[in-house]
Amino acid sequence: MPQTVHARTAHRPRWWAELLLLVVVYGAYSAGRLLARGDVSTAVDHGLAILRIEKAFFLNAEHPLNRLFTSTPAIGIPADFAYASLHYLVTPAVLIWLFRRRPARYRAARTWLMLSTLLGLVGFTLLPTCPPRLLDASYGFVDTMAQYSSYGWWGAEASAPRGLGGMTNQYAAMPSLHVGWALWCGVLLWRHGRTPLMRVLGVVYPLLTVIVVMGTANHYFLDAVAGGLVMGAGALLTGPAMRAADRAWTRAADRYAFVDGFTRPPLAAGTKTGAVPGQRRQSVAVVKPAVVKSAVANASGPSQVGKSPVKPPNVSDGCETSAGERFPGQRTRTNSSAGTPGSTGAATDDAPAKTR
């Protein structure tokens, strides 16, 4: 009996189902981020503790970078634009690029991003942290987003559009998902980009993001380190999560027919991904080699398996002309081929036939 294998994981999902999933996950993340607001004094204590640890190990690069961004508008203003926009532009762009150009890699990359984001939400909940820009001015930080707010769409409260600062959690600083998402983009551009430019961007973008989040006083250096660790944990969990999702999806597809509509069908060998839109997902039958060999032998006939070749059919059905009789244009046979006893010699082709 042939075995059945579901080929869901090897093909690009339907775009509308994927968009719905991402919207739901990001909406849940944003709502959880707002609900994770902790006590302000606790967040300030956490921020000061991080700053003390960095000073003890000479890791507080935020101070010199923040002074540079504050004193040089030519650097500070573009950095604020980068902080307020690239996070929401580059990440979706890389997702779309993978979906369109690297569909076999898309699902794992998307799962990695979602798991890491949810892990970051756990960090916001357990460790609310005051960013450097919200500390007392005596600690030496300047909020560049507030200083250059007249140049952009953000307000003095956060990088959100002006007037919507209350819709974001300003104490969700540990870990830095700006750095985490940038690292995700960089890894994928490096691994799956086919041009040197793509790989250069894969290296530059995460490094630039680390500098920007510290120079604008939105994150500490250890926030950036924690963002990288969260992405590493998400990468380790991606494989087990995908296997668990495949098992659950298979059970759901076997029980509920409408579940098949959320994925594209499996493609035959040599067919490009997405070549048969609209067709329902099917199962791939795995046929054993012995069955294939038997089928080939039966289709090829006896001549392929060592037996004597089959003789062509006799179109005359055993009928012959009488002695001396011939059809117009018929060649005469030799006596030896006719097999008549006592015959002598062979008649030539030009010899006329005897008349009856």
Side-chain angles (χ1 to χ4, degrees):
M1 180 178 180
Q3 301 174 353
T4 300
V5 177
H6 293 286
R8 169 178 172 256
T9 59
H11 304 282
R12 181 192 300 155
R14 297 188 184 277
W15 68 268
W16 55 266
E18 199 63 23
L19 180 62
L20 178 62
L21 174 64
L22 293 175
V23 168
V24 170
V25 171
Y26 187 76
Y29 159 74
S30 300
R33 181 183 167 107
L34 288 175
L35 294 174
R37 290 176 176 175
D39 182 67
V40 174
S41 60
T42 302
V44 171
D45 291 340
H46 290 160
L48 293 177
I50 292 174
L51 189 59
R52 286 194 295 269
I53 293 173
E54 289 187 355
K55 287 182 177 180
F57 291 95
F58 303 100
L59 299 175
N60 56 323
E62 303 92 341
H63 278 109
L65 285 174
N66 184 243
R67 287 193 292 268
L68 175 64
F69 284 25
T70 303
S71 61
T72 311
I75 298 177
I77 295 174
D80 285 347
F81 273 99
Y83 182 84
S85 61
L86 293 185
H87 184 60
Y88 304 102
L89 296 177
V90 177
T91 308
V94 173
L95 266 177
I96 295 172
W97 171 68
L98 288 171
F99 185 86
R100 300 283 298 176
R101 299 298 183 89
R102 306 290 186 272
R105 309 292 182 184
Y106 169 79
R107 184 168 171 258
R110 178 257 287 156
T111 304
W112 176 22
L113 179 64
M114 290 195 306
L115 287 175
S116 302
T117 301
L118 295 178
L119 290 176
L121 182 60
V122 174
F124 302 154
T125 304
L126 298 180
L127 195 67
T129 303
C130 179
R133 64 185 178 86
L134 296 183
L135 293 175
D136 187 80
S138 61
Y139 292 99
F141 293 103
V142 176
D143 186 355
T144 63
M145 303 294 293
Q147 179 179 352
Y148 301 122
S149 62
S150 60
Y151 292 92
W153 61 84
W154 56 86
E157 293 179 318
S159 60
R162 190 175 288 107
L164 298 178
M167 298 298 294
T168 184
N169 182 2
Q170 298 190 76
Y171 299 101
M174 169 67 81
S176 171
L177 287 186
H178 271 77
V179 174
W181 286 13
L183 180 61
W184 176 87
C185 294
V187 170
L188 294 175
L189 290 175
W190 176 267
R191 293 185 61 183
H192 306 305
R194 294 179 179 175
T195 63
L197 177 60
M198 296 286 279
R199 294 196 166 191
V200 170
L201 291 176
V203 174
V204 171
Y205 179 55
L207 295 178
L208 178 65
T209 302
V210 172
I211 294 173
V212 165
V213 299
M214 292 193 299
T216 57
N218 279 285
H219 289 282
Y220 305 96
F221 174 73
L222 291 183
D223 292 346
V225 173
L229 294 177
V230 162
M231 299 309 295
L236 293 176
L237 293 175
T238 296
M242 289 181 62
R243 289 190 292 270
D246 287 340
R247 290 192 294 268
W249 192 274
T250 300
R251 289 194 295 267
D254 292 339
R255 179 172 299 183
Y256 306 106
F258 73 90
V259 175
D260 280 346
F262 288 90
T263 54
R264 292 195 180 276
L267 304 180
T271 305
K272 293 183 179 180
T273 303
V276 281
Q279 182 181 350
R280 292 175 62 83
R281 183 176 63 87
Q282 301 173 352
S283 298
V284 180
V286 180
V287 184
K288 296 181 179 180
V291 178
V292 176
K293 182 177 180 181
S294 175
V296 171
N298 293 336
S300 60
S303 59
Q304 303 297 325
V305 292
K307 295 183 179 181
S308 59
V310 178
K311 295 182 179 179
N314 187 0
V315 295
S316 65
D317 198 22
C319 299
E320 295 184 359
T321 58
S322 302
E325 181 181 7
R326 65 178 296 183
F327 295 107
Q330 179 182 348
R331 296 169 64 93
T332 59
R333 295 186 302 173
T334 61
N335 290 338
S336 59
S337 63
T340 56
S343 61
T344 58
T348 63
D349 290 344
D350 298 332
K354 297 179 180 179
T355 59
R356 299 181 64 178

